[in-house]
Amino acid sequence: MSAPATRAPAATGNGPAWLTTRTVTVAAVVVLLALWGGLSPFTVTLLNYIGLHALVALGLVLLTGVGGMTSFGQAAFVGLGAYATAWVCAAPEVAAALQGVPAAWLPWLGLALGLVLTALVAGALGAVTLRLGGHYLPLATIAWGLSLYFLFGNLGFLGGHTGITGIAALQVGPWTLADPRELGLLIWAVVLLALWALHNLLDSRTGRAVRALKSGRLMAESMGVDTGRLRAQVFLLAALLAALSGWLYAHLQRFVNPTPFNINIGIEYLFMAVVGGSGHLWGAVVGATLIALLKEQLQDWLPRLLGASGNFEIIIFGLLMMVVLQRYADGLWPTLAGWARRLGVHPTPVRLPPPSALPQRTLPPPGTVLVQARDVTKRFGGLVANSQVSLEVRAGEVHALIGPNGAGKSTFFNMISGVDDPTEGEVWLLGEPMTGRPSRDFAARGLGRTFQHVRLLGQRSVLDNVALGAHLRGRRGWLASMLRLDRREEAALQAEALRQIERCGLTEHAHTPAGALALGQQRIVEIARALAGQPALLLLDEPAAGLRHLEKQALAKLLDQLRREGLGILIVEHDMEFVMNLADRITVLDFGTVIAHGTPAEVQRDPRVLQAYLGDDALSGGAA
Ligand code: ADP
Ligand code: MG
C-alpha cells in the first residue's frame, strides 16, 4: 500500500477548517506569552505553581490514567529532584569538592544528579513494587512515599527539617532566571515540551502498547509486548518528570525543606491527574489549575469560616474528588473537549509520510509442523483440564479442535500459546522447545491468536487495535516516538493494519471505537489484529460465534484463502457445519482427553464422538 495512511476526518465540524486543537493551543500560548510581562506577581506565582504541578500530574496521567498504575508517592520523586540540586548548589562540602567549576554549571549538575538519582531509586522501587497486583501497588507507593519524606527530614547533610537555603538562581546561557517571571517562562516551556512529547508518545507504536497495559496485559503479551518492562519504563518516565518539576521548584523557591514532598502532597498530585481527566494529557493542566485555584481560595476562607487554622482544604479536596468522579468518571477534560468540539474546534488532522517497509516473514513450506503439543497435561487444583493431549498443526492446513463446553479447548490454546504453562508435557513451535516461555516469545516466532472472550481496547479505534497486532514488526521506541522520528514506520504499521482490516471486510469500521461493534465483528477485529503480525500459525477460539450466516461464509472464505497462502490454522468452533466444511483434520476433546482424531468424515463416524455428543444432534448437521 503506497498511499499515506491518514486519520479519519473529524466527525463533528461546523467550524472553519483552520480551527483545530493545534491552532487553539498555539493561540493560547501566544496570548499568555503576550500578557506575561503585565501579569501581577501573584498571578505569575500562581501560574508557575500550576506549571510545576502539571508536570508531575502529566507523569501521573501516563502512569495511572493510561498505564493503570496508581502512585501516591510521586511527591517523593519531586523531592529527589529538588534536594539533589539544592545539595549540589548550596552544600558547603560540595562547594569545596567542586572548586573551579563555574557557579552557573551547578544547577545543571544538580539536574543531572537529580535525574540519575531518581532513575536509580525509581528503577529499584519499580523492580520491587511493580510486580504487585491489585491494591498492593498503591499501598507500596504510600510506603516508599512516606519513607523518602522522612529520609529528607532526617539526613543531616540535607539540613534536617529546616532544609537547605541559599540555592543559586538558574542560569541559561546569558540569562539569569532570578525573577519568578523569568523562570516561569522556562517552567511553561518545559510543560509544553512535555505535553508535546507525551502526546507524540501516546500516538505511536510504544503508546499503543502503553495503552494496552491498563486492561489487557495478557492480550498485550500475546501481541509481543514485554509488559513488565514497559510498566517499569512508564514508571521511570513519570518519576523523571516529577524530578524535573522538583528541580525547577528548587530554583524557583531558592530553598527546600521536606514539607512539599510529604505524602499528602503526593495524594494531591493524584487528585490533579484524576480530576483533570486521568487518561488525557491536558487533563493534567486542568487538574493542576483547578487544585491551585481552589487551594488558594480555601486556604483563605476555611480558617475564617472554621475559626481555626490548619490544612482543611484536603478535606474539601476529598469530597470534591468524590463528586467530580461521580459526575465525570473520566475527569473534567472530556467534558471540556466536548464543549470545544461544539464550538467548532476540530481535532488536528494527522498526516503521515509515505510508509517505510515492514519486515516480512517467510512462511515455512506447506506441511511443516508448526506447533506440536506432546502429552500436555494441565491441572487446576484437582481439576484436570487437559490430560496428555498431543496434537500438531502443519503449515497449509486447517485443524479443528472440537468438543463440548468445558472440554478443555481454551485451556489447550493457552498451553500452546504461552499464556499459561502446562503442568506436564511439552510445547514445540517451529522445531523449538517453548515450554515455560512467555507468550510474547510465541508471538515472535510466528504465532497469532484470538481470544474466546474478546480482548480489545474498546475505546480505541479498530485501526489502533489492529495496529497493535503489528507491534513486533516495528522497532521505534520511546525516544523516537516522543521526538516524532517514527512517522514513516508508524505509517507502515497503520497501512498494514488497514490492509488486514480491509481483508477482513471491516474497512468501513476502521475508525470506529472497537467497543461499538457487534460482538461477532469484534471477533473479526481480533483476527485482523492477529494477521497484522503476519503469523505462520493462527489460533482462533470460536471465531464464528455471534456471526450471521453471510458473515460466516465470508470468514470461511478468508480462512480458506489463508490456508492456501500457507498459514496453519487451529480453530475451536461449535458450528459443526462450518467446521466440517472447512477443516482438513479434526481433533475431538472430551473431559480434557483426546477421544478422536482424523478427517471430518472419519470423526463424524466415530462412535466415541457420537457418544460424547449424545443427546446432541450436532454431528448430524445442526449447530452445537
Ligand atoms: P472449553 O474451552 O473447552 O469450553 P476450558 O478450557 O475453558 O473449556 O475449561 C476446561 C475446564 O477447566 C473447565 O472445567 C473450566 O472450568 C476449567 N478451567 C479453565 N480455566 C481455569 C482456571 N484458570 N482455573 C480453574 N479452572 C479452570
Ligand atoms: Mg472455550
Side-chain angles (χ1 to χ4, degrees):
M1 180 175 244
S2 58
T6 48
R7 197 60 51 92
T12 54
N14 42 7
W18 55 263
L19 188 60
T20 63
T21 45
R22 177 177 298 158
T23 35
V24 171
T25 313
V26 170
V29 171
V30 169
V31 168
L32 196 63
L33 208 57
L35 295 178
W36 192 253
L39 296 177
S40 72
F42 173 80
T43 312
V44 169
T45 302
L46 193 66
L47 284 171
N48 282 351
Y49 276 99
I50 291 175
L52 292 174
H53 292 164
L55 210 49
V56 186
L58 263 177
L60 275 172
V61 165
L62 192 70
L63 183 70
T64 307
V66 181
M69 292 164 272
T70 305
S71 169
F72 291 101
Q74 295 308 100
F77 295 129
V78 184
L80 276 180
Y83 267 103
T85 197
W87 183 68
V88 168
C89 293
E93 64 265 32
V94 185
L98 291 182
Q99 261 174 10
V101 176
W105 289 19
L106 292 181
W108 301 100
L109 286 178
L111 175 64
L113 177 68
L115 294 179
V116 169
L117 258 183
T118 304
L120 291 176
V121 173
L125 288 174
V128 180
T129 56
L130 288 178
R131 278 193 225 131
L132 301 173
H135 300 307
Y136 294 105
L137 175 63
L139 285 178
T141 65
I142 294 178
W144 52 253
L146 279 172
S147 312
L148 282 171
Y149 165 70
F150 282 109
L151 203 62
F152 296 139
N154 287 296
L155 288 179
F157 69 96
L158 295 181
H161 286 280
T162 354
I164 301 178
T165 54
I167 303 170
L170 200 56
Q171 248 175 288
V172 182
W175 299 288
T176 305
L177 309 181
D179 190 273
R181 201 180 295 273
E182 292 157 352
L183 189 61
L185 288 174
L186 179 66
I187 291 174
W188 276 96
V190 171
V191 172
L192 289 171
L193 210 62
L195 273 165
W196 177 74
L198 292 187
H199 168 83
N200 293 346
L201 175 73
L202 286 179
D203 187 29
S204 74
R205 167 179 178 267
T206 308
R208 265 192 298 275
V210 173
R211 287 185 195 279
L213 287 178
K214 196 171 180 175
S215 62
R217 277 187 79 186
L218 189 154
M219 178 276 283
E221 285 275 337
S222 292
M223 300 302 134
V225 179
D226 185 341
T227 58
R229 197 172 129 193
L230 198 63
R231 274 161 66 93
Q233 288 168 329
V234 172
F235 186 67
L236 181 67
L237 182 57
L240 290 177
L241 282 169
L244 190 57
S245 170
W247 175 72
L248 289 164
Y249 168 83
H251 290 287
L252 176 69
Q253 281 293 41
R254 314 279 285 276
F255 80 90
V256 294
N257 70 13
T259 315
F261 316 122
N262 198 347
I263 191 76
N264 57 347
I265 309 292
I267 297 174
E268 262 178 48
Y269 285 128
L270 197 59
F271 274 7
M272 294 175 202
V274 172
V275 167
S278 57
H280 306 270
L281 296 173
W282 278 98
V285 180
V286 172
T289 309
L290 190 75
I291 300 286
L293 292 178
L294 263 178
K295 207 169 170 174
E296 177 59 41
Q297 294 296 317
L298 293 176
Q299 277 174 349
D300 252 18
W301 281 97
L302 285 180
R304 272 194 244 169
L305 278 177
L306 299 170
S309 61
N311 289 337
F312 300 117
E313 68 275 5
I314 199 94
I315 304 170
I316 304 286
F317 286 167
L319 294 174
L320 179 85
M321 178 130 127
M322 288 197 286
V323 173
V324 169
L325 292 184
Q326 283 273 329
R327 263 191 76 82
Y328 308 94
D330 288 331
L332 296 173
W333 181 252
T335 307
L336 295 180
W339 289 348
R341 265 198 305 281
R342 240 164 287 146
L343 288 174
V345 180
H346 307 276
T348 309
V350 177
R351 288 196 185 82
L352 291 171
S356 56
L358 289 185
Q360 305 289 331
R361 193 189 304 279
T362 14
L363 293 182
T368 312
V369 175
L370 298 175
V371 70
Q372 192 177 36
R374 301 181 182 168
D375 293 325
V376 164
T377 294
K378 179 66 180 180
R379 294 196 192 89
F380 294 112
L383 181 104
V384 186
N386 285 164
S387 172
Q388 302 207 309
V389 179
S390 294
L391 180 154
E392 56 182 44
V393 180
R394 293 169 184 272
E397 72 163 359
V398 175
H399 193 135
L401 182 65
I402 65 170
N405 269 329
K409 305 179 296 293
S410 294
T411 303
F412 183 70
F413 261 36
N414 288 342
M415 297 299 116
I416 60 170
S417 60
V419 167
D420 207 348
D421 295 328
T423 319
E424 286 158 28
E426 286 176 28
V427 177
W428 290 61
L429 192 62
L430 281 155
E432 206 175 295
M434 299 293 285
T435 324
R437 304 260 290 267
S439 56
R440 57 177 187 273
D441 289 0
F442 286 69
R445 276 194 78 73
L447 183 147
R449 68 163 296 177
T450 67
F451 296 90
Q452 182 182 350
H453 303 288
V454 174
R455 290 175 188 268
L456 293 171
L457 305 180
Q459 299 189 343
R460 308 301 300 168
S461 70
V462 168
L463 176 65
D464 223 19
N465 273 282
V466 174
L468 181 62
H471 185 79
L472 285 176
R473 298 174 70 190
R475 291 277 163 274
R476 297 305 202 145
W478 289 84
L479 220 53
S481 305
M482 290 200 260
L483 300 176
R484 277 284 191 237
L485 301 175
D486 64 336
R487 292 293 90 184
R488 293 197 57 199
E489 182 186 276
E490 176 64 15
L493 292 173
Q494 293 197 14
E496 173 67 13
L498 277 174
R499 209 164 65 84
Q500 300 304 341
I501 289 169
E502 188 181 341
R503 187 176 206 189
C504 293
L506 290 170
T507 305
E508 59 176 316
H509 300 299
H511 302 284
T512 313
L517 299 188
L519 202 56
Q521 287 179 319
Q522 295 190 25
R523 292 180 185 285
I524 306 295
V525 175
E526 287 219 333
I527 298 180
R529 183 178 65 193
L531 289 177
Q534 213 180 36
L537 170 70
L538 193 58
L539 306 187
L540 305 176
D541 201 344
E542 305 197 11
L547 292 188
R548 287 178 297 225
H549 187 64
L550 281 178
E551 293 171 323
K552 279 189 189 176
Q553 282 182 336
L555 175 62
K557 206 171 139 202
L558 172 67
L559 298 185
D560 181 49
Q561 190 196 336
L562 293 172
R563 161 170 56 193
R564 276 189 267 129
E565 285 172 19
L567 266 81
I569 301 173
L570 181 64
I571 180 171
V572 165
E573 188 44 61
H574 282 299
D575 182 333
M576 284 306 139
E577 195 188 336
F578 186 90
V579 168
M580 294 299 163
N581 285 332
L582 186 69
D584 300 292
R585 289 194 292 156
I586 298 180
T587 298
V588 188
L589 270 189
D590 193 22
F591 291 112
T593 311
V594 176
I595 59 165
H597 176 86
T599 64
E602 289 166 355
V603 164
Q604 286 187 65
R605 283 196 302 270
D606 195 299
R608 293 184 64 187
V609 176
L610 294 172
Q611 195 177 356
Y613 280 89
L614 205 64
D616 199 314
D617 64 354
L619 292 180
S620 52

